[in-house]
Amino acid sequence: MPSNTWGRVVFRIFVILLGIFQGFGQADYLSPETNPASFESAVLPDGSFGKYKLDSLDLYQKVDSLMSLAIGREAFPGAQVLVAYKGEKIYHKTFGFHTYDSLSPVAKGDLYDLASVTKITAGLPAVMKLQEAGIIALDDPLSETWKPWRRSSDKSELTWREILAHQAGLKPYIVFLSDVRHKRKPGLKRKFVRTSASTRFSLQAYEDRFINRRFPKKMYRGINKSAVSSDKTYRYSGLAFLLIPEIVRQQTGLNFDTYLFENVYGPLGLSHTSFLPELRQPGARIVPTEQDTLYRNTLTRGWVHDENASLLGGVSANAGLFSTADDLAVIMQCFANYGRYNGKQIFDANLVEEYARVQYPENENRRGVGFDKPLLENASQSLNTAYPAPLASAKSFGHGGFTGTFVWADPENQLVFIFLSNRVYPDRSHRQLYELKVRTQLHQWFYEALLAAQ
């Protein structure tokens, strides 16, 4: 047996013993539930426009004008933009309010529902750490760590690389909320959702929504049975990210959020990043998302907007993480530094570089491993067709979120760009954020200003 295989066997025996000792994942001695801010907060050092000879007046005027237009067109009620250059925060400004009634102005320390940005700030860091520990390898089948797929005719050979690069042919999405709602009358099925907690209904999804603790297994079965396309082309899918927290628990003996706290958020000093902020960050200013009419029947604030993540109890790798612009700037700067931050190597540099590389360009798939990437011919695109800014380098990477979030790191140009909004307020039909190309235009202007100063 090869030595690396022996290493994995020994590690997994250790994990089993650890799970027995700790109660199979109930390792709450460092859990965010009980210790959400036991480390010193990190923040990027302040820089200035003057230091890099940027034309700040012209840039400020253009940014202010576009953001005012976007708020007026109801692209979002409020937002904030943070830009870092060479590891220093050179711009951070807030705009508008939490809602259109103009009662709560946006503040720099506000928490946002990151939606799919969770994939690269929770799901991907966990996978990287599993790989560093020798538990997985990118070209291993996921079925090696997810037993239900081992006998699946269409999933047993799907690798982590294919799945995370959205090249595996997995179904894009499954609406598990359909299983919870009555089909012929309004309301939710009591066998799955109750309005008060009990031993059976222990997964809190909202103030008065408690999910049957067995429902996640029903979701896993749905994913296990889902069809896989035989056409191996780029097809975005978030299904595997719903499985990652349980894979982490089974392989390490730690709950997903505890694992991230110990291995990523704690070492980076991300004291304002967590799942379930209504429970774990009491008193925090949390920006609302949607006025929900199907599931929670109220304004969603402090609880994950994504219904699938909610039905898992709010802790998932596809959505559910909440954070601030400052915390996001730190983790994206860490990625831009290929895993190094504040003198510490948080992630293996070679891993970050590999994950940030386009994996299947021959299939017209721009994606890295988990990370989104620029369009393959992005530099030649107009502002209306580019993604992200045309001036973003081919080595850059990031991700966007359904709620109106966007983060991007460019190691080549040493630029980190953070955009946070709640464009789904009051409902998800608001698409002016996309139609006005707000994020792409802002991103491009900062590149232009930096290049003009060089």
Side-chain angles (χ1 to χ4, degrees):
M1 185 181 292
S3 60
N4 63 334
T5 303
W6 272 115
R8 291 191 195 185
V9 170
V10 170
F11 185 86
R12 288 178 184 178
I13 291 172
F14 168 75
V15 164
I16 291 170
L17 295 173
L18 181 67
I20 293 171
F21 178 72
Q22 293 179 339
F24 293 100
Q26 301 304 313
D28 58 2
Y29 58 93
L30 278 178
S31 163
E33 293 98 321
T34 57
N35 202 3
S38 64
F39 47 85
E40 184 178 351
S41 297
V43 64
L44 291 184
D46 288 327
S48 69
F49 280 76
K51 180 177 180 179
Y52 299 106
K53 300 178 181 179
L54 299 174
D55 184 352
S56 59
L57 180 60
D58 178 62
L59 183 60
Y60 269 51
Q61 289 177 340
K62 289 192 296 187
V63 172
D64 288 353
S65 178
L66 178 58
M67 294 299 282
S68 178
L69 172 66
I71 291 171
R73 296 272 188 91
E74 295 194 352
F76 41 77
Q80 56 184 286
V81 180
L82 187 156
V83 180
Y85 181 56
K86 294 185 177 180
E88 295 181 338
K89 184 168 55 174
I90 61 170
Y91 182 90
H92 188 188
K93 189 172 181 180
T94 64
F95 303 86
F97 295 82
H98 286 192
T99 58
Y100 291 109
D101 59 16
S102 302
L103 293 177
S104 298
V106 174
K108 290 180 179 179
D110 288 347
L111 291 176
Y112 286 79
D113 181 335
L114 302 185
S116 281
V117 171
T118 301
K119 291 180 172 67
I120 69 164
T121 52
L124 213 56
V127 172
M128 286 182 181
K129 287 299 176 182
L130 292 181
Q131 187 169 357
E132 286 179 12
I135 298 173
I136 68 164
L138 283 181
D139 294 312
D140 285 347
L142 186 139
S143 61
E144 288 191 8
T145 48
W146 187 251
K147 291 181 181 180
W149 285 17
R150 292 180 185 176
R151 296 182 180 178
S152 172
S153 60
D154 59 2
K155 296 184 183 70
S156 62
E157 298 301 318
L158 298 181
T159 66
W160 283 94
R161 188 187 302 274
E162 291 173 308
I163 291 165
L164 296 176
H166 304 284
Q167 187 68 26
L170 291 172
K171 192 173 181 178
Y173 198 79
I174 298 175
V175 183
F176 289 106
L177 185 61
S178 298
D179 295 330
V180 169
R181 298 180 67 234
H182 289 293
K183 291 180 173 57
R184 294 183 176 85
K185 62 178 181 179
L188 306 175
K189 298 176 182 176
R190 281 181 53 78
K191 67 177 179 179
F192 295 135
V193 184
R194 297 286 174 88
T195 57
S196 59
S198 67
T199 303
R200 284 179 60 209
F201 293 84
S202 56
L203 297 175
Q204 188 169 6
Y206 202 69
E207 293 172 1
D208 60 351
R209 293 289 183 271
F210 295 85
I211 311 301
N212 190 314
R213 59 187 175 86
R214 294 186 177 274
F215 193 79
K217 291 184 178 180
K218 179 178 176 64
M219 294 175 67
Y220 301 152
R221 289 194 298 271
I223 296 170
N224 297 339
K225 294 176 182 177
S226 64
V228 177
S229 173
S230 59
D231 183 17
K232 299 299 180 184
T233 57
Y234 171 53
R235 190 186 194 195
Y236 184 85
S237 172
L239 293 188
F241 287 88
L242 297 170
L243 305 178
I244 287 173
E246 180 61 14
I247 291 174
V248 168
R249 189 194 68 79
Q250 291 179 8
Q251 297 298 316
T252 70
L254 296 176
N255 294 331
F256 183 57
D257 42 358
T258 304
Y259 185 73
L260 287 167
F261 180 90
E262 293 188 10
N263 290 283
V264 181
Y265 304 153
L268 281 173
L270 306 186
S271 60
H272 303 290
T273 298
S274 76
F275 297 95
L276 302 168
E278 192 69 22
L279 301 177
R280 297 177 183 175
Q281 298 192 56
R285 284 171 49 95
I286 307 173
V287 178
T289 52
E290 189 169 27
Q291 187 73 41
D292 186 352
T293 60
L294 299 176
Y295 172 41
R296 288 159 281 215
N297 299 314
T298 188
L299 178 63
T300 306
R301 185 199 303 263
W303 304 86
V304 60
H305 174 265
D306 181 89
E307 291 87 357
N308 282 350
S310 178
L311 292 168
L312 287 172
V315 179
S316 178
N318 76 306
L321 197 66
F322 286 71
S323 191
T324 63
D326 276 317
D327 271 16
L328 289 169
V330 168
I331 191 169
M332 294 308 292
Q333 186 65 53
C334 178
F335 285 142
N337 296 341
Y338 293 112
R340 191 168 185 81
Y341 184 75
N342 200 24
K344 295 184 290 187
Q345 196 69 41
I346 307 298
F347 303 102
D348 181 272
N350 292 328
L351 277 188
V352 178
E353 189 169 6
E354 176 62 18
Y355 280 49
R357 181 179 64 82
V358 176
Q359 300 296 308
Y360 298 96
E362 68 279 6
N363 289 336
E364 298 184 358
N365 180 345
R366 70 176 188 265
R367 297 274 176 164
V369 177
F371 289 119
D372 201 358
K373 297 280 293 175
L375 297 176
L376 295 178
E377 303 295 333
N378 198 53
S380 62
Q381 299 289 323
S382 69
L383 196 66
N384 287 331
T385 58
Y387 177 85
L391 287 174
S393 78
K395 290 186 177 181
S396 71
F397 51 89
H399 215 285
F402 186 77
T403 51
T405 56
F406 179 81
V407 299
W408 208 265
D410 190 335
E412 185 172 300
N413 290 304
Q414 300 184 64
L415 188 72
V416 168
F417 180 82
I418 310 292
F419 179 93
L420 298 176
S421 77
N422 56 331
R423 73 101 194 161
V424 295
Y425 178 86
D427 62 68
R428 64 190 71 189
S429 67
H430 288 240
R431 298 188 58 81
Q432 286 293 316
L433 174 63
Y434 308 121
E435 294 166 9
L436 293 173
K437 305 290 288 186
V438 175
R439 297 172 296 187
T440 307
Q441 180 64 85
L442 293 173
H443 203 189
Q444 181 76 353
W445 280 336
F446 279 95
Y447 273 111
E448 290 173 351
L450 289 166
L451 290 174
Q454 292 179 2

